[in-house]
Amino acid sequence: MWLGLLKSAWMLLLLAAMACCQLAFANEDLRNDFQNWDLVTITLPVTPGKKVQWYAEAQPRVGNLQDRGTSGDFSQLILRTALGYRLTEKISVWQGYGWTPIFEPQNLNEHRIYQQLSVNGKWKRLLVNNRSRLEQRWIENTGGETSIRLRHMARGMYPLDQREQWFLVAYDEFFITLKGVPNGPATGFDQNRLFVGLHRKLKGGVNAEAGYLNQYINTQDPVPNRMNHVLILTLNFELK
């Protein structure tokens, strides 16, 4: 038990160090905001043996909590769906589509097609997941050109009890725009997300997760870069 607590404390210290490194990106013009993101995801097998799977996600986001208080502004909605194929027990590939309308600070529609590679592993009791996603983005008011973005997430989950129902979870995900578009994303570093929280396994393939996410966004001059402090609540349904 004590060894597990020490390992958990070590992970928290490591994440704190990573957060300090992320804060080093900040400048005097950095704009901070407090937000709330809620996620509901469903994973459903399509074929016997779960070789082919279907995924769906709904993610409403509320921002400007710092200025508006508890009400905030409904700033963005993300709706995703994808079909995946398990190459092995640990490796899967996905093809998906996402519609991501933005409502604040202005109304913009964005459509995305993405390809994804997911690799799961385990080191002793630590569960590890690496997810790489390549996105083709069509953003309103950018002349119809296609922006291409690469994002990679490294995620770890460490059990906090012997029954492995409670987990400490952490991940870091960086985004790089490979192809920019006029009046839209510029080529280069886009953003970084650092998350730490708790994960709870429930009954019937249901998992709940809650935690804090620090999002650093590299914007184009003269707009100041952003630092969003986000409370994330997630409910995952993995149906059999």
Side-chain angles (χ1 to χ4, degrees), residues 28-49:
E28 293 181 356
D29 296 327
L30 186 69
R31 179 182 175 186
N32 287 269
D33 187 26
F34 292 89
Q35 301 189 2
N36 171 229
W37 301 356
D38 297 318
L39 287 77
V40 177
T41 71
I42 299 173
T43 305
L44 177 68
V46 176
T47 60

Side-chain angles (χ1 to χ4, degrees), residues 22 37 191-193 213-217 226-228:
Q22 181 151 322
W37 301 356
Q191 63 175 278
N192 190 78
R193 298 178 183 177
L213 181 138
N214 182 277
Q215 181 189 32
Y216 175 82
I217 303 176
R226 294 180 61 93
M227 180 77 76
N228 292 328

Side-chain angles (χ1 to χ4, degrees), residues 2-43:
W2 289 107
L3 182 59
L5 290 174
L6 286 173
K7 288 182 177 179
S8 301
W10 179 84
M11 288 184 67
L12 285 171
L13 289 173
L14 178 61
L15 287 167
M18 293 171 65
C20 290
C21 292
Q22 181 151 322
L23 287 171
F25 284 113
N27 54 57
E28 293 181 356
D29 296 327
L30 186 69
R31 179 182 175 186
N32 287 269
D33 187 26
F34 292 89
Q35 301 189 2
N36 171 229
W37 301 356
D38 297 318
L39 287 77
V40 177
T41 71
I42 299 173
T43 305

Side-chain angles (χ1 to χ4, degrees), residues 16 20 22 41-42 51-52 56 65 78 91 113 120 143 145 170 172 188 196 225 240:
C20 290
Q22 181 151 322
T41 71
I42 299 173
K51 279 288 186 178
V52 180
L65 291 174
I78 296 179
I91 303 175
I113 293 176
N120 298 315
E145 295 193 31
D172 189 80
V196 60
N225 294 338
K240 297 181 180 180

